[in-house]
Amino acid sequence: MPTSQDMTTHLDPGLLDALQHQVALFARRAEQTRLGGVGQVRNSMDRAAYLLLNRLDREGPMGVKALAAGMGIDSSTVTRQVAPLVDTGLVKRTSHPEDGRAVVLQLSPRGQARLEEVRTSRRALMEQVTDGWTENERESFCLLLTRFNTALSARQTGLPLEQTGAS
């Protein structure tokens, strides 16, 4: 079975150079705009907060360790990132339903409303940026970007692609 090193040598170096250049440009432009959306909500929620709130919304209340594991980051990082979300009332700490000593993080109603406001703004940005694209082109781009992110996550964690929950 060929290794990834063997497969890389058979790929067009010019294409790989173009790909890495486009990824670098994307990363810079994404950071510059923070992909924050449009209108008044633009740039009003940083990436870490958005990803944390989004995960809590999709997966429900959970502890810091589970949140950190699901996001592929350190528990201390999650604790630091969650603190301002708790302070501003977007996330609330509650007792674990089965173990009252344990604490779980939960999206508050205010957090849910704020997340939906930001999602709506970001959807509008995606619509503007992909104006003129067909639905099929948007779907293909999303599929390939998801695949790319999953592969990056797998490389970072050392897990096989099937075991990554990259998001």
Side-chain angles (χ1 to χ4, degrees):
M1 179 172 195
T3 65
S4 60
Q5 183 71 21
D6 294 335
M7 290 188 295
T8 303
T9 58
H10 294 100
L11 298 176
D12 176 5
L15 179 59
L16 294 175
D17 287 346
L19 179 58
Q20 69 79 23
H21 180 75
Q22 289 304 316
V23 169
L25 284 174
F26 170 76
R28 183 177 69 200
R29 289 191 176 120
E31 188 58 33
Q32 286 171 336
T33 65
R34 293 195 164 289
L35 293 181
V38 296
Q40 291 183 331
V41 227
R42 187 179 189 286
N43 293 331
S44 57
M45 184 179 288
D46 70 30
R47 180 181 58 245
Y50 178 77
L51 292 172
L52 286 166
L53 294 178
N54 202 43
R55 184 164 289 269
L56 287 172
D57 181 48
R58 283 193 346 243
E59 298 181 21
M62 66 181 74
V64 169
K65 285 183 181 178
L67 191 54
M71 297 183 72
I73 56 178
D74 190 80
S75 291
S76 63
T77 302
V78 168
T79 300
R80 275 193 313 276
Q81 291 174 348
V82 164
L85 300 175
V86 170
D87 292 345
T88 57
L90 299 177
V91 170
K92 56 185 179 177
R93 289 187 176 106
T94 59
S95 296
H96 192 284
E98 296 164 11
D99 179 1
R101 298 169 298 168
V103 173
V104 293
L105 301 168
Q106 178 177 347
L107 197 59
S108 71
R110 181 176 179 204
Q112 180 68 56
R114 185 73 185 103
L115 180 59
E116 191 51 41
E117 184 179 43
V118 171
R119 280 180 178 156
T120 299
S121 175
R122 289 180 176 198
R123 275 186 217 111
L125 176 63
M126 292 301 106
E127 185 178 354
Q128 286 178 6
V129 170
T130 61
D131 184 41
W133 293 25
T134 66
E135 198 63 22
N136 191 21
E137 288 170 327
R138 285 186 181 113
E139 288 173 4
S140 295
F141 182 70
C142 187
L143 178 70
L144 290 170
L145 192 55
T146 300
R147 189 170 159 194
F148 184 81
N149 281 324
T150 301
L152 279 177
S153 179
R155 187 177 191 291
Q156 216 174 7
T157 61
L159 290 174
L161 287 177
E162 312 82 57
Q163 292 182 19
T164 61
S167 48

